[in-house]
Amino acid sequence: MKVVVIGGTGLIGSKLVSKLAEHGHEAVPASPDSGVNTLTGEGLAEVLEGAAVVVDVSNSPSFADDDVMAFFRTSTSNLLAAEKEAGVGHHVALSVVGTDRLQESGYFRAKQAQEDLIKDSAVPYSIVHATQFFEFMKGITAAATKDDDTVHLAPIKIQPICSDDVAAAVGRSAVGDPLNGVVEVAGADTFQLDDLIRTHLAATNDPRTVVSDPRAPYFGAQLQETTLLPGADARIGEIRFADWVARQQ
């Protein structure tokens, strides 16, 4: 089948395009670089012609509250309208485990707005909620760094996943029937967030010090013990964090 991947040149999108192509599907990466702009609508009608499935793994270039909200509202609205016009039968979107519990954060409010638009549309859909990627440890560290040398993180639980496993999970959803609901995916191991970042900093020879702070915000949101954890029915990835770290060295 023809599957259009919005954000198909990014971390998850590029892996997804490869996986779909390996299984014989026509996977079409779509991004501004390929002439497809979901913010303006440019190129959407053309790229969606004959598409059975659209997968949206795009992300906002800016995480400022107003910018990210405008991105997800505009991009998702344009995309869903174009899909309805083209007769696309399945919209798949990648989102984040705990989005509904992180509404103090402007980014996660925007992701919730994206999900609400998808659920309210006429296009059959599947939403994949993933826990934080291994590859996102640098981003978490940067957001929590103060004074350039201390990283303040809440000692709560986290169950991160490798981007390869995320791409595989999104791919399974793309070639399956629409759920008109949410499926969760997570890594095999549960860590304490502050300890996980300590391990990652040590493995990458980063001299910063992690400070355990129960009140430390996570991208603007306060965390409870299980805020970032998936439910009991989550699908579990195959790649363990320790093995991934070893591959990076």
Side-chain angles (χ1 to χ4, degrees):
M1 67 178 74
K2 179 180 178 180
V3 181
V4 175
V5 181
I6 306 297
T9 58
L11 174 65
I12 301 299
S14 58
K15 295 176 185 291
L16 175 59
V17 167
S18 295
K19 289 179 182 294
L20 290 170
E22 288 171 4
H23 287 84
H25 300 289
E26 180 189 355
V28 181
S31 68
D33 288 341
S34 66
V36 179
N37 190 324
T38 56
L39 292 177
T40 65
E42 178 188 1
L44 278 178
E46 292 80 4
V47 78
L48 295 186
E49 187 175 348
V53 181
V54 171
V55 181
D56 186 5
V57 293
S58 63
N59 209 348
S60 173
S62 167
F63 281 15
D65 287 2
D66 290 345
D67 292 343
V68 73
M69 181 63 78
F71 175 85
F72 281 118
R73 282 191 181 278
T74 303
S75 176
T76 303
S77 295
N78 288 340
L79 189 54
L80 291 168
E83 289 173 23
K84 183 178 180 181
E85 184 69 23
V88 172
H90 190 185
H91 178 96
V92 180
L94 177 61
S95 194
V96 188
V97 164
T99 289
D100 60 337
R101 301 188 291 271
L102 292 162
Q103 293 298 292
E104 291 176 276
S105 163
Y107 180 81
F108 290 102
R109 286 196 298 273
K111 290 298 289 183
Q112 187 64 58
Q114 177 193 30
E115 292 188 28
D116 291 343
L117 286 167
I118 293 167
K119 292 173 183 178
D120 291 341
S121 78
V123 180
Y125 70 90
S126 300
I127 297 173
V128 180
H129 272 188
T131 53
Q132 289 67 28
F133 310 157
F134 296 164
E135 292 85 350
F136 196 45
M137 295 303 108
K138 290 182 179 179
I140 293 174
T141 303
T145 297
K146 297 183 178 181
D147 304 323
D148 296 329
D149 59 0
T150 59
V151 184
H152 291 245
L153 292 164
I156 54 83
K157 293 179 180 179
I158 187 171
Q159 197 171 333
I161 186 170
C162 184
S163 62
D164 290 323
D165 285 333
V166 175
V170 174
R172 286 192 294 270
S173 289
V175 301
D177 294 331
L179 298 174
N180 293 318
V182 176
V183 61
E184 291 187 321
V185 295
D189 301 307
T190 301
F191 302 88
Q192 193 165 285
L193 177 59
D194 51 344
D195 288 339
L196 177 67
I197 298 302
R198 284 191 188 96
T199 299
H200 187 253
L201 292 180
T204 55
N205 297 312
D206 190 316
R208 283 176 287 182
T209 300
V210 175
V211 176
S212 300
D213 179 359
R215 296 183 179 181
Y218 181 82
F219 297 96
Q222 294 295 313
L223 297 176
Q224 302 299 318
E225 179 69 12
T226 60
T227 300
L228 302 181
L229 292 183
D233 294 333
R235 298 174 182 175
I236 302 302
E238 298 179 358
I239 301 169
R240 293 185 178 273
F241 183 72
D243 296 331
W244 177 82
V245 168
R247 289 200 326 234
Q248 310 307 305
Q249 296 175 332

mmCIF file of all heavy atoms in Angstrom, residues 91-130:
data_model
loop_
_atom_site.group_PDB
_atom_site.id
_atom_site.type_symbol
_atom_site.label_atom_id
_atom_site.label_comp_id
_atom_site.label_asym_id
_atom_site.label_seq_id
_atom_site.Cartn_x
_atom_site.Cartn_y
_atom_site.Cartn_z
ATOM 1 N N HIS A 91 -5.313 7.335 9.561
ATOM 2 C CA HIS A 91 -4.360 8.346 10.024
ATOM 3 C C HIS A 91 -3.673 7.802 11.264
ATOM 4 O O HIS A 91 -4.342 7.434 12.244
ATOM 5 C CB HIS A 91 -5.077 9.651 10.361
ATOM 6 C CG HIS A 91 -4.189 10.734 10.892
ATOM 7 N ND1 HIS A 91 -3.661 11.726 10.095
ATOM 8 C CD2 HIS A 91 -3.721 10.979 12.140
ATOM 9 C CE1 HIS A 91 -2.920 12.536 10.825
ATOM 10 N NE2 HIS A 91 -2.938 12.104 12.083
ATOM 11 N N VAL A 92 -2.349 7.743 11.240
ATOM 12 C CA VAL A 92 -1.572 7.257 12.382
ATOM 13 C C VAL A 92 -0.714 8.410 12.899
ATOM 14 O O VAL A 92 -0.027 9.077 12.118
ATOM 15 C CB VAL A 92 -0.663 6.076 11.993
ATOM 16 C CG1 VAL A 92 0.139 5.590 13.203
ATOM 17 C CG2 VAL A 92 -1.497 4.934 11.412
ATOM 18 N N ALA A 93 -0.765 8.656 14.190
ATOM 19 C CA ALA A 93 0.028 9.744 14.772
ATOM 20 C C ALA A 93 0.853 9.222 15.936
ATOM 21 O O ALA A 93 0.400 8.380 16.716
ATOM 22 C CB ALA A 93 -0.869 10.872 15.248
ATOM 23 N N LEU A 94 2.059 9.739 16.048
ATOM 24 C CA LEU A 94 2.939 9.407 17.162
ATOM 25 C C LEU A 94 2.804 10.487 18.232
ATOM 26 O O LEU A 94 2.955 11.674 17.952
ATOM 27 C CB LEU A 94 4.387 9.318 16.687
ATOM 28 C CG LEU A 94 5.438 9.047 17.778
ATOM 29 C CD1 LEU A 94 5.180 7.708 18.466
ATOM 30 C CD2 LEU A 94 6.846 9.071 17.173
ATOM 31 N N SER A 95 2.499 10.065 19.465
ATOM 32 C CA SER A 95 2.406 10.991 20.580
ATOM 33 C C SER A 95 3.178 10.403 21.768
ATOM 34 O O SER A 95 4.019 9.520 21.581
ATOM 35 C CB SER A 95 0.941 11.283 20.913
ATOM 36 O OG SER A 95 0.832 12.404 21.768
ATOM 37 N N VAL A 96 2.890 10.892 22.952
ATOM 38 C CA VAL A 96 3.744 10.600 24.103
ATOM 39 C C VAL A 96 2.934 10.006 25.250
ATOM 40 O O VAL A 96 1.856 10.524 25.589
ATOM 41 C CB VAL A 96 4.451 11.882 24.594
ATOM 42 C CG1 VAL A 96 5.486 11.551 25.674
ATOM 43 C CG2 VAL A 96 5.113 12.616 23.430
ATOM 44 N N VAL A 97 3.458 8.951 25.855
ATOM 45 C CA VAL A 97 2.858 8.401 27.067
ATOM 46 C C VAL A 97 2.791 9.490 28.139
ATOM 47 O O VAL A 97 3.762 10.200 28.381
ATOM 48 C CB VAL A 97 3.678 7.202 27.581
ATOM 49 C CG1 VAL A 97 3.309 6.865 29.026
ATOM 50 C CG2 VAL A 97 3.468 5.985 26.700
ATOM 51 N N GLY A 98 1.641 9.627 28.768
ATOM 52 C CA GLY A 98 1.480 10.605 29.840
ATOM 53 C C GLY A 98 1.084 11.988 29.385
ATOM 54 O O GLY A 98 1.006 12.912 30.213
ATOM 55 N N THR A 99 0.806 12.166 28.088
ATOM 56 C CA THR A 99 0.442 13.491 27.579
ATOM 57 C C THR A 99 -0.681 14.124 28.391
ATOM 58 O O THR A 99 -0.613 15.298 28.767
ATOM 59 C CB THR A 99 0.051 13.409 26.092
ATOM 60 O OG1 THR A 99 1.223 13.151 25.316
ATOM 61 C CG2 THR A 99 -0.572 14.702 25.606
ATOM 62 N N ASP A 100 -1.715 13.353 28.688
ATOM 63 C CA ASP A 100 -2.865 13.902 29.424
ATOM 64 C C ASP A 100 -2.536 14.222 30.874
ATOM 65 O O ASP A 100 -3.287 14.940 31.547
ATOM 66 C CB ASP A 100 -4.049 12.943 29.350
ATOM 67 C CG ASP A 100 -3.744 11.579 29.952
ATOM 68 O OD1 ASP A 100 -2.552 11.206 30.029
ATOM 69 O OD2 ASP A 100 -4.691 10.873 30.349
ATOM 70 N N ARG A 101 -1.389 13.719 31.381
ATOM 71 C CA ARG A 101 -0.992 13.984 32.768
ATOM 72 C C ARG A 101 0.058 15.096 32.856
ATOM 73 O O ARG A 101 0.532 15.404 33.954
ATOM 74 C CB ARG A 101 -0.428 12.697 33.390
ATOM 75 C CG ARG A 101 -1.406 11.542 33.394
ATOM 76 C CD ARG A 101 -0.879 10.355 34.177
ATOM 77 N NE ARG A 101 0.239 9.683 33.552
ATOM 78 C CZ ARG A 101 0.146 8.679 32.679
ATOM 79 N NH1 ARG A 101 -1.070 8.256 32.303
ATOM 80 N NH2 ARG A 101 1.216 8.105 32.169
ATOM 81 N N LEU A 102 0.430 15.668 31.722
ATOM 82 C CA LEU A 102 1.510 16.662 31.673
ATOM 83 C C LEU A 102 1.013 18.007 31.149
ATOM 84 O O LEU A 102 1.734 18.736 30.477
ATOM 85 C CB LEU A 102 2.650 16.137 30.782
ATOM 86 C CG LEU A 102 3.411 14.936 31.332
ATOM 87 C CD1 LEU A 102 4.179 14.231 30.217
ATOM 88 C CD2 LEU A 102 4.383 15.381 32.426
ATOM 89 N N GLN A 103 -0.224 18.343 31.468
ATOM 90 C CA GLN A 103 -0.851 19.518 30.874
ATOM 91 C C GLN A 103 -0.371 20.855 31.442
ATOM 92 O O GLN A 103 -0.762 21.914 30.957
ATOM 93 C CB GLN A 103 -2.368 19.404 30.971
ATOM 94 C CG GLN A 103 -2.945 18.277 30.109
ATOM 95 C CD GLN A 103 -2.655 18.500 28.633
ATOM 96 O OE1 GLN A 103 -3.187 19.425 28.034
ATOM 97 N NE2 GLN A 103 -1.807 17.662 28.047
ATOM 98 N N GLU A 104 0.494 20.830 32.438
ATOM 99 C CA GLU A 104 1.160 22.068 32.868
ATOM 100 C C GLU A 104 2.174 22.530 31.826
ATOM 101 O O GLU A 104 2.564 23.691 31.811
ATOM 102 C CB GLU A 104 1.889 21.850 34.198
ATOM 103 C CG GLU A 104 0.995 21.638 35.391
ATOM 104 C CD GLU A 104 1.807 21.327 36.627
ATOM 105 O OE1 GLU A 104 2.165 20.143 36.828
ATOM 106 O OE2 GLU A 104 2.100 22.261 37.388
ATOM 107 N N SER A 105 2.608 21.622 30.979
ATOM 108 C CA SER A 105 3.610 21.912 29.951
ATOM 109 C C SER A 105 2.941 22.385 28.668
ATOM 110 O O SER A 105 2.009 21.748 28.172
ATOM 111 C CB SER A 105 4.431 20.650 29.670
ATOM 112 O OG SER A 105 5.137 20.757 28.450
ATOM 113 N N GLY A 106 3.429 23.494 28.111
ATOM 114 C CA GLY A 106 2.889 23.989 26.854
ATOM 115 C C GLY A 106 3.044 22.987 25.729
ATOM 116 O O GLY A 106 2.151 22.864 24.872
ATOM 117 N N TYR A 107 4.153 22.251 25.711
ATOM 118 C CA TYR A 107 4.364 21.264 24.657
ATOM 119 C C TYR A 107 3.306 20.168 24.730
ATOM 120 O O TYR A 107 2.708 19.793 23.715
ATOM 121 C CB TYR A 107 5.757 20.648 24.759
ATOM 122 C CG TYR A 107 6.013 19.620 23.689
ATOM 123 C CD1 TYR A 107 6.386 20.004 22.403
ATOM 124 C CD2 TYR A 107 5.826 18.259 23.941
ATOM 125 C CE1 TYR A 107 6.588 19.065 21.402
ATOM 126 C CE2 TYR A 107 6.026 17.317 22.942
ATOM 127 C CZ TYR A 107 6.403 17.721 21.687
ATOM 128 O OH TYR A 107 6.591 16.786 20.693
ATOM 129 N N PHE A 108 3.055 19.675 25.924
ATOM 130 C CA PHE A 108 2.100 18.572 26.044
ATOM 131 C C PHE A 108 0.653 19.048 25.896
ATOM 132 O O PHE A 108 -0.209 18.281 25.464
ATOM 133 C CB PHE A 108 2.329 17.812 27.347
ATOM 134 C CG PHE A 108 3.609 17.022 27.327
ATOM 135 C CD1 PHE A 108 4.743 17.479 27.991
ATOM 136 C CD2 PHE A 108 3.709 15.850 26.596
ATOM 137 C CE1 PHE A 108 5.931 16.773 27.934
ATOM 138 C CE2 PHE A 108 4.893 15.138 26.537
ATOM 139 C CZ PHE A 108 6.011 15.600 27.208
ATOM 140 N N ARG A 109 0.378 20.299 26.210
ATOM 141 C CA ARG A 109 -0.953 20.836 25.885
ATOM 142 C C ARG A 109 -1.155 20.831 24.371
ATOM 143 O O ARG A 109 -2.255 20.540 23.877
ATOM 144 C CB ARG A 109 -1.101 22.259 26.434
ATOM 145 C CG ARG A 109 -1.279 22.328 27.933
ATOM 146 C CD ARG A 109 -1.805 23.679 28.386
ATOM 147 N NE ARG A 109 -0.897 24.780 28.066
ATOM 148 C CZ ARG A 109 0.102 25.182 28.849
ATOM 149 N NH1 ARG A 109 0.345 24.539 29.995
ATOM 150 N NH2 ARG A 109 0.856 26.214 28.505
ATOM 151 N N ALA A 110 -0.092 21.154 23.642
ATOM 152 C CA ALA A 110 -0.183 21.150 22.182
ATOM 153 C C ALA A 110 -0.351 19.734 21.639
ATOM 154 O O ALA A 110 -1.121 19.512 20.692
ATOM 155 C CB ALA A 110 1.060 21.805 21.579
ATOM 156 N N LYS A 111 0.341 18.774 22.220
ATOM 157 C CA LYS A 111 0.172 17.384 21.793
ATOM 158 C C LYS A 111 -1.244 16.894 22.098
ATOM 159 O O LYS A 111 -1.836 16.140 21.299
ATOM 160 C CB LYS A 111 1.200 16.483 22.480
ATOM 161 C CG LYS A 111 2.628 16.676 22.007
ATOM 162 C CD LYS A 111 2.796 16.356 20.527
ATOM 163 C CE LYS A 111 2.691 14.873 20.237
ATOM 164 N NZ LYS A 111 2.925 14.587 18.789
ATOM 165 N N GLN A 112 -1.814 17.333 23.234
ATOM 166 C CA GLN A 112 -3.187 16.950 23.544
ATOM 167 C C GLN A 112 -4.154 17.562 22.543
ATOM 168 O O GLN A 112 -5.121 16.909 22.118
ATOM 169 C CB GLN A 112 -3.552 17.397 24.963
ATOM 170 C CG GLN A 112 -4.907 16.907 25.436
ATOM 171 C CD GLN A 112 -4.953 15.400 25.550
ATOM 172 O OE1 GLN A 112 -4.170 14.794 26.271
ATOM 173 N NE2 GLN A 112 -5.861 14.762 24.808
ATOM 174 N N ALA A 113 -3.896 18.811 22.148
ATOM 175 C CA ALA A 113 -4.735 19.448 21.136
ATOM 176 C C ALA A 113 -4.666 18.688 19.823
ATOM 177 O O ALA A 113 -5.688 18.506 19.129
ATOM 178 C CB ALA A 113 -4.299 20.903 20.937
ATOM 179 N N GLN A 114 -3.474 18.222 19.460
ATOM 180 C CA GLN A 114 -3.307 17.417 18.251
ATOM 181 C C GLN A 114 -4.147 16.146 18.334
ATOM 182 O O GLN A 114 -4.882 15.801 17.395
ATOM 183 C CB GLN A 114 -1.834 17.052 18.058
ATOM 184 C CG GLN A 114 -1.587 16.158 16.854
ATOM 185 C CD GLN A 114 -0.181 15.555 16.847
ATOM 186 O OE1 GLN A 114 0.413 15.322 17.902
ATOM 187 N NE2 GLN A 114 0.358 15.324 15.666
ATOM 188 N N GLU A 115 -4.060 15.459 19.462
ATOM 189 C CA GLU A 115 -4.814 14.214 19.621
ATOM 190 C C GLU A 115 -6.321 14.467 19.565
ATOM 191 O O GLU A 115 -7.080 13.683 18.973
ATOM 192 C CB GLU A 115 -4.436 13.546 20.944
ATOM 193 C CG GLU A 115 -3.006 13.026 20.977
ATOM 194 C CD GLU A 115 -2.741 12.199 22.222
ATOM 195 O OE1 GLU A 115 -3.701 11.602 22.758
ATOM 196 O OE2 GLU A 115 -1.580 12.141 22.658
ATOM 197 N N ASP A 116 -6.768 15.557 20.172
ATOM 198 C CA ASP A 116 -8.200 15.858 20.168
ATOM 199 C C ASP A 116 -8.705 16.118 18.747
ATOM 200 O O ASP A 116 -9.813 15.685 18.386
ATOM 201 C CB ASP A 116 -8.475 17.071 21.050
ATOM 202 C CG ASP A 116 -8.263 16.777 22.536
ATOM 203 O OD1 ASP A 116 -8.222 15.587 22.910
ATOM 204 O OD2 ASP A 116 -8.127 17.742 23.312
ATOM 205 N N LEU A 117 -7.909 16.807 17.947
ATOM 206 C CA LEU A 117 -8.300 17.049 16.555
ATOM 207 C C LEU A 117 -8.436 15.738 15.787
ATOM 208 O O LEU A 117 -9.370 15.551 14.997
ATOM 209 C CB LEU A 117 -7.266 17.947 15.866
ATOM 210 C CG LEU A 117 -7.278 19.424 16.259
ATOM 211 C CD1 LEU A 117 -6.017 20.121 15.745
ATOM 212 C CD2 LEU A 117 -8.523 20.114 15.708
ATOM 213 N N ILE A 118 -7.500 14.830 16.025
ATOM 214 C CA ILE A 118 -7.527 13.533 15.346
ATOM 215 C C ILE A 118 -8.776 12.746 15.748
ATOM 216 O O ILE A 118 -9.484 12.181 14.905
ATOM 217 C CB ILE A 118 -6.252 12.731 15.677
ATOM 218 C CG1 ILE A 118 -5.024 13.417 15.073
ATOM 219 C CG2 ILE A 118 -6.361 11.293 15.178
ATOM 220 C CD1 ILE A 118 -3.704 12.886 15.597
ATOM 221 N N LYS A 119 -9.068 12.725 17.050
ATOM 222 C CA LYS A 119 -10.216 11.961 17.547
ATOM 223 C C LYS A 119 -11.544 12.538 17.051
ATOM 224 O O LYS A 119 -12.515 11.796 16.873
ATOM 225 C CB LYS A 119 -10.185 11.936 19.073
ATOM 226 C CG LYS A 119 -9.027 11.141 19.645
ATOM 227 C CD LYS A 119 -8.948 11.280 21.155
ATOM 228 C CE LYS A 119 -7.740 10.534 21.717
ATOM 229 N NZ LYS A 119 -7.622 10.706 23.190
ATOM 230 N N ASP A 120 -11.571 13.851 16.843
ATOM 231 C CA ASP A 120 -12.812 14.504 16.422
ATOM 232 C C ASP A 120 -12.992 14.518 14.905
ATOM 233 O O ASP A 120 -14.037 14.953 14.406
ATOM 234 C CB ASP A 120 -12.839 15.951 16.931
ATOM 235 C CG ASP A 120 -12.994 16.034 18.436
ATOM 236 O OD1 ASP A 120 -13.427 15.038 19.044
ATOM 237 O OD2 ASP A 120 -12.659 17.088 19.013
ATOM 238 N N SER A 121 -11.991 14.059 14.169
ATOM 239 C CA SER A 121 -12.071 14.105 12.710
ATOM 240 C C SER A 121 -12.874 12.919 12.181
ATOM 241 O O SER A 121 -13.196 11.981 12.919
ATOM 242 C CB SER A 121 -10.673 14.085 12.101
ATOM 243 O OG SER A 121 -10.134 12.771 12.111
ATOM 244 N N ALA A 122 -13.138 12.950 10.877
ATOM 245 C CA ALA A 122 -13.883 11.858 10.241
ATOM 246 C C ALA A 122 -12.964 10.757 9.727
ATOM 247 O O ALA A 122 -13.441 9.747 9.200
ATOM 248 C CB ALA A 122 -14.711 12.420 9.089
ATOM 249 N N VAL A 123 -11.652 10.926 9.888
ATOM 250 C CA VAL A 123 -10.696 9.959 9.357
ATOM 251 C C VAL A 123 -10.415 8.886 10.414
ATOM 252 O O VAL A 123 -10.051 9.216 11.555
ATOM 253 C CB VAL A 123 -9.378 10.653 8.952
ATOM 254 C CG1 VAL A 123 -8.387 9.633 8.388
ATOM 255 C CG2 VAL A 123 -9.636 11.766 7.945
ATOM 256 N N PRO A 124 -10.569 7.604 10.090
ATOM 257 C CA PRO A 124 -10.212 6.544 11.041
ATOM 258 C C PRO A 124 -8.750 6.696 11.464
ATOM 259 O O PRO A 124 -7.900 7.078 10.656
ATOM 260 C CB PRO A 124 -10.430 5.256 10.242
ATOM 261 C CG PRO A 124 -11.445 5.635 9.202
ATOM 262 C CD PRO A 124 -11.103 7.045 8.821
ATOM 263 N N TYR A 125 -8.447 6.397 12.733
ATOM 264 C CA TYR A 125 -7.113 6.740 13.235
ATOM 265 C C TYR A 125 -6.570 5.707 14.214
ATOM 266 O O TYR A 125 -7.313 4.888 14.777
ATOM 267 C CB TYR A 125 -7.156 8.102 13.931
ATOM 268 C CG TYR A 125 -7.912 8.095 15.253
ATOM 269 C CD1 TYR A 125 -7.258 7.836 16.446
ATOM 270 C CD2 TYR A 125 -9.296 8.324 15.294
ATOM 271 C CE1 TYR A 125 -7.950 7.817 17.652
ATOM 272 C CE2 TYR A 125 -9.997 8.302 16.485
ATOM 273 C CZ TYR A 125 -9.305 8.049 17.676
ATOM 274 O OH TYR A 125 -10.001 8.004 18.861
ATOM 275 N N SER A 126 -5.267 5.803 14.412
ATOM 276 C CA SER A 126 -4.571 5.110 15.498
ATOM 277 C C SER A 126 -3.550 6.090 16.061
ATOM 278 O O SER A 126 -2.827 6.735 15.299
ATOM 279 C CB SER A 126 -3.845 3.855 15.006
ATOM 280 O OG SER A 126 -4.739 2.922 14.433
ATOM 281 N N ILE A 127 -3.495 6.209 17.380
ATOM 282 C CA ILE A 127 -2.502 7.055 18.030
ATOM 283 C C ILE A 127 -1.552 6.151 18.800
ATOM 284 O O ILE A 127 -1.990 5.322 19.603
ATOM 285 C CB ILE A 127 -3.158 8.073 18.973
ATOM 286 C CG1 ILE A 127 -4.052 9.033 18.177
ATOM 287 C CG2 ILE A 127 -2.096 8.864 19.734
ATOM 288 C CD1 ILE A 127 -4.875 9.978 19.038
ATOM 289 N N VAL A 128 -0.261 6.295 18.526
ATOM 290 C CA VAL A 128 0.762 5.520 19.215
ATOM 291 C C VAL A 128 1.401 6.406 20.282
ATOM 292 O O VAL A 128 2.025 7.417 19.960
ATOM 293 C CB VAL A 128 1.842 5.009 18.236
ATOM 294 C CG1 VAL A 128 2.902 4.205 18.993
ATOM 295 C CG2 VAL A 128 1.205 4.163 17.134
ATOM 296 N N HIS A 129 1.225 6.027 21.537
ATOM 297 C CA HIS A 129 1.863 6.734 22.645
ATOM 298 C C HIS A 129 3.168 6.007 22.976
ATOM 299 O O HIS A 129 3.140 4.841 23.373
ATOM 300 C CB HIS A 129 0.973 6.706 23.883
ATOM 301 C CG HIS A 129 -0.004 7.823 23.951
ATOM 302 N ND1 HIS A 129 -0.782 8.075 25.060
ATOM 303 C CD2 HIS A 129 -0.327 8.785 23.058
ATOM 304 C CE1 HIS A 129 -1.552 9.133 24.846
ATOM 305 N NE2 HIS A 129 -1.299 9.571 23.627
ATOM 306 N N ALA A 130 4.286 6.691 22.822
ATOM 307 C CA ALA A 130 5.587 6.117 23.161
ATOM 308 C C ALA A 130 6.152 6.801 24.400
ATOM 309 O O ALA A 130 5.903 7.990 24.629
ATOM 310 C CB ALA A 130 6.562 6.272 21.996
#
